[in-house]
Amino acid sequence: TCFFFATVREFAHNFFYLKKKKFSEISANMAQKGASRKANFCEAETRLVITDIKNNYEKLFGRSSTASEKNAMWRNICHKVNGLYAKGRDTEDLKKKWRDLHLKAKQTAAKRQQERVETGAPK
């Protein structure tokens, strides 16, 4: 048989097999393998991250700070978040959260602009 069809057949079989499996069974298998995920950011954590980044935006994203200074600022923000909420966040978690928030804001702004263009509303 053709390799492509064999992989498609395999994919379809695995997809339907997993679909039939109960969610609890899949979760139990993940727990046995040691797979875990961190808790979602709560609203207060998100606000704290946004506030601290806005207050230190120039230092974190400007050209006037060195990489070590920027890393120290991220660690400082991380220390504040972990001190208040104790969820074991690291700097990479905070950076990813900021990227996601920034992307979502840009997408929302682009969507609003597109709606203005479509409706002919003033800018």
Side-chain angles (χ1 to χ4, degrees):
T1 61
C2 177
F3 175 75
F4 175 74
F5 291 117
T7 56
V8 169
R9 192 177 308 121
E10 244 178 71
F11 171 78
H13 170 71
N14 290 338
F15 177 77
F16 291 113
Y17 173 74
L18 287 175
K19 198 171 183 183
K20 289 178 184 178
K21 252 187 165 184
K22 292 181 182 175
F23 181 73
S24 59
E25 291 176 27
I26 295 171
S27 298
N29 289 342
M30 287 177 64
Q32 288 175 351
K33 293 178 183 176
S36 62
R37 56 187 291 270
K38 293 185 180 182
N40 292 340
F41 277 78
C42 66
E43 188 177 335
E45 274 182 304
T46 303
R47 278 196 219 131
L48 179 63
V49 169
I50 290 170
T51 303
D52 280 356
I53 290 176
K54 282 174 61 177
N55 291 342
N56 299 301
Y57 191 85
E58 190 58 40
K59 293 176 188 173
L60 288 169
F61 301 105
R63 293 178 176 245
S64 61
S65 301
T66 63
S68 60
E69 291 171 340
K70 291 176 183 183
N71 288 334
M73 290 301 301
W74 281 109
R75 283 192 302 272
N76 185 22
I77 296 170
C78 186
H79 182 70
K80 286 181 187 178
V81 170
N82 286 331
L84 292 175
Y85 301 101
K87 291 188 180 175
R89 307 278 184 211
D90 59 12
T91 56
E92 292 305 313
D93 295 333
L94 299 180
K95 289 178 183 180
K96 183 179 184 324
K97 183 64 175 176
W98 176 252
R99 279 192 305 269
D100 292 346
L101 289 169
H102 193 193
L103 177 64
K104 188 174 181 180
K106 287 174 70 172
Q107 288 173 339
T108 302
K111 186 176 179 181
R112 283 188 192 146
Q113 179 62 27
Q114 182 63 32
E115 288 171 357
R116 286 183 184 145
V117 168
E118 288 173 357
T119 60
K123 293 182 181 180

